[in-house]
Amino acid sequence: TQDEDAREENKDVLGCRKEKEYFGICELEETAGTGVESSGVFRALGALLLLLSTPPFTIALWSIFVQHKGSVASFVTLLSDQKNWTPFLQSLPTLSWEATGYIAAFGAFEALIQLAVPGKAFVGPISPKGNRPVYKANGVQCYFVTLVAFFLAWKYSIFNPARVYDQFGEMLNALNIFGNVLCLFLTLKGYYFPSSTDSGSTGSFLFDYFWGTELYPRIGKSFDIKQWTNCRMGLMGWSVLPLCFMIKQLETTGQISNSMLISVVLTNIYVFKFFLWETGYFCTMDIAHDRAGFYICWGCLVWVPSVYTSPVLHLVQHPINLSLPVASTIFGLGVLCIYINWAADEQRKIFRATSGKAKVWGKKPKFITARYKTGKGETKTSLLLLSGWWGIARHFHYVPEILGSFFWTAPALFTYVMPYFYVIFLTILLFDRAFRDDARCAAKYGKYWDDYKKQVPYKFIPYIL
């Protein structure tokens, strides 16, 4: 996973030097950097619960939005009568060649452009085992190539995007099967032919399958599997699926409601923001800490298209047209939140790349130089940023991210609660991530982290939390 020439050529520009790491990757050196997690009884039981419950939940969610128009009450009422169980099961999607074809074509296309579209080499953070993965930073280019290909395929009737909505249940079934097969492959790959030394078993096959056995699995030297599952399938799919749902509404009603348009545009602005920042994502917990197993890979392949697109999926059958003041307010606040989230991440990215020399909000940044020991016993330093967005709260950037998701869901109004499931899920996910990150930073930096918390005492919102 290392490319020495690319590393030396790009290390100054990209801020991934040998001697220093920067705030934002606070994993425990002994475990998190290599992706190894404890496989205790309770953790294993939790993994088993998620393995068994989340795949059928994605189908239940589809049923609520598509068959019951977003009504939980209708869904529960149906299942409360045992006589309805058999007809309900018979009404659920199965598999189809059409749905499988859509997934295969999209997956192959995204794999092809991930490899073929030009991009600068980006050197990821060093792991405790000494590995530094090199990525091709071509996310923005691939985003536009994907959208151009999508609209050309629609224009020239190569495929009808509205059919994706019609086949979405079958697609989720196919993705569930493919996701689990891929996770099995990745588990065995980590056992027998890992791509790097950042691999190994926790001692439990069940937890290995859930958590993963490799941190940076690759096919050959260039095709990074996590970049494909997380960024190209998950995030790029999150861009394209809402467009398909919007076209379904156009086909059904003859027009696109402004509620649908706001939700789709805000979602795509957010996804575009992600690809602008994709190299920053390569330094986050998802990539630098979490191994490639069910938790990450199945999540990006199945959970993201099922849950993250659900507000737009709901709007297909609810063509709400908002008043101009309401629509403008929701859209404006949504863009503002996405911008603040991007600005915070970009601020940290520049701080890392310049070793703390770049100004933050027009001033010389304040930071703590923290020393810590690696798993090999080497002493290294990190810079903990105290200025700008990162001086407001330790995880303030999660606040605009949560609010952004609220504003691209708000066009659905408040008649139904299920469109807000993603907002609720994201809030729980980010709060959990913030607490886990704080725990890792405390274990890694010790007294330096205590000092940091004194100067930035709040996790999310000053004077509140």
Side-chain angles (χ1 to χ4, degrees):
T1 62
Q2 298 185 57
D3 184 331
E4 296 294 339
D5 293 334
R7 181 197 309 175
E8 292 303 316
E9 178 181 352
N10 294 284
K11 67 181 180 180
D12 289 331
V13 176
L14 301 170
C16 289
R17 308 177 199 283
K18 295 180 182 178
E19 292 82 12
K20 293 184 178 180
E21 295 174 3
Y22 301 99
F23 174 68
I25 309 173
C26 299
E27 63 267 22
L28 290 174
E29 291 295 336
E30 294 290 353
T31 59
T34 55
V36 177
E37 290 284 346
S38 167
S39 58
V41 174
F42 289 108
R43 189 178 290 272
L45 288 175
L48 180 61
L49 177 63
L50 289 173
L51 286 168
L52 295 176
S53 64
T54 49
F57 179 82
T58 61
I59 303 303
L61 198 65
W62 169 87
S63 177
I64 291 171
F65 283 115
V66 175
Q67 295 181 322
H68 297 270
K69 298 183 178 181
S71 173
V72 178
S74 172
F75 180 77
V76 171
T77 299
L78 176 74
L79 294 185
S80 63
D81 188 345
Q82 191 172 352
K83 294 179 181 179
N84 295 325
W85 290 4
T86 299
F88 169 73
L89 292 174
Q90 292 173 345
S91 73
L92 291 178
T94 53
L95 291 171
S96 74
W97 285 112
E98 182 181 0
T100 304
Y102 290 149
I103 295 167
F106 182 73
F109 179 79
E110 291 302 322
L112 176 64
I113 62 175
Q114 179 178 320
L115 290 170
V117 172
K120 293 182 179 180
F122 178 84
V123 185
I126 190 169
S127 75
K129 295 293 182 71
N131 297 305
R132 302 194 70 179
V134 179
Y135 302 93
K136 184 185 287 188
N138 60 0
V140 172
Q141 299 94 308
C142 289
Y143 174 77
F144 284 113
V145 169
T146 298
L147 291 188
V148 169
F150 174 87
F151 284 110
L152 287 176
W154 180 31
K155 179 180 179 180
Y156 291 104
S157 301
I158 296 174
F159 91 111
N160 178 7
R163 287 294 298 166
V164 171
Y165 175 86
D166 298 333
Q167 290 284 304
F168 191 50
E170 287 80 0
M171 289 175 65
L172 289 175
N173 276 335
L175 284 169
N176 267 306
I177 293 172
F178 172 72
N180 277 283
V181 171
L182 176 65
C183 291
L184 178 60
F185 165 76
L186 291 174
T187 303
L188 298 176
K189 180 182 180 304
Y191 286 159
Y192 300 112
F193 46 100
S195 300
S196 76
T197 52
D198 286 296
S199 59
S201 174
T202 63
S204 164
F205 178 81
L206 173 65
F207 198 77
D208 286 346
Y209 181 85
F210 176 79
W211 183 248
T213 53
E214 280 194 90
L215 190 58
Y216 302 117
R218 295 195 168 187
I219 296 176
K221 293 182 178 180
S222 302
F223 187 72
D224 188 89
I225 294 175
K226 280 172 75 176
Q227 185 179 12
W228 180 72
T229 58
N230 296 25
C231 304
R232 299 301 182 263
M233 290 295 285
L235 268 294
M236 205 72 79
W238 190 13
S239 169
V240 170
L241 283 171
L243 293 171
C244 295
F245 300 159
M246 180 178 70
I247 292 169
K248 176 62 179 181
Q249 188 186 77
L250 175 64
E251 183 182 89
T252 303
T253 67
Q255 63 178 353
I256 298 171
S257 64
N258 63 4
S259 60
M260 172 68 81
L261 191 62
I262 290 168
S263 188
V264 171
V265 171
L266 285 178
T267 298
N268 268 274
I269 291 174
Y270 179 85
V271 173
F272 173 69
K273 183 273 304 181
F274 169 85
F275 285 114
L276 276 178
W277 171 77
E278 186 180 34
T279 53
Y281 180 68
F282 296 146
C283 298
T284 64
M285 291 174 64
D286 284 1
I287 301 296
H289 169 262
D290 296 338
R291 287 189 171 194
F294 182 92
Y295 174 75
I296 281 292
C297 294
W298 178 92
C300 289
L301 288 170
V302 188
W303 190 259
V304 168
S306 171
V307 175
Y308 288 34
T309 67
S310 58
V312 183
L313 184 67
H314 174 81
L315 287 170
V316 172
Q317 299 188 66
H318 299 275
I320 302 165
N321 278 300
L322 306 168
S323 67
L324 182 59
V326 171
S328 300
T329 300
I330 292 174
F331 182 75
L333 290 174
V335 171
L336 177 63
C337 289
I338 294 170
Y339 169 77
I340 293 174
N341 178 250
W342 171 82
D345 286 327
E346 186 70 7
Q347 190 176 79
R348 181 175 57 181
K349 180 180 173 182
I350 294 172
F351 174 77
R352 289 172 176 165
T354 60
S355 300
K357 296 177 182 178
K359 289 185 177 181
V360 173
W361 288 355
K363 298 179 181 180
K364 185 178 179 180
K366 296 179 181 179
F367 57 84
I368 295 172
T369 302
R371 288 181 171 81
Y372 66 96
K373 287 188 179 294
T374 68
K376 295 181 179 180
E378 300 171 339
T379 298
K380 293 190 177 184
T381 59
S382 292
L383 305 183
L384 309 183
L385 181 59
L386 300 167
S387 300
W389 298 108
W390 303 95
I392 296 175
R394 300 193 295 275
H395 305 280
F396 176 78
H397 63 309
Y398 288 158
V399 175
E401 184 162 0
I402 293 168
L403 289 176
S405 70
F406 171 81
F407 286 118
W408 68 62
T409 305
L413 301 180
F414 303 99
T415 303
Y416 299 91
V417 69
M418 281 308 292
Y420 294 88
F421 176 77
Y422 169 65
V423 182
I424 296 168
F425 164 77
L426 181 66
T427 302
I428 295 170
L429 175 72
L430 294 182
F431 270 56
D432 172 70
R433 181 171 294 178
F435 280 92
R436 288 194 297 139
D437 192 50
D438 268 17
R440 291 189 181 94
C441 288
K444 179 176 180 178
Y445 297 123
K447 63 180 181 179
Y448 300 105
W449 187 250
D450 292 336
D451 185 23
Y452 178 76
K453 288 201 297 182
K454 289 178 182 177
Q455 299 192 57
V456 187
Y458 297 97
K459 279 188 174 71
F460 302 102
I461 304 172
Y463 307 106
I464 297 176
L465 181 63

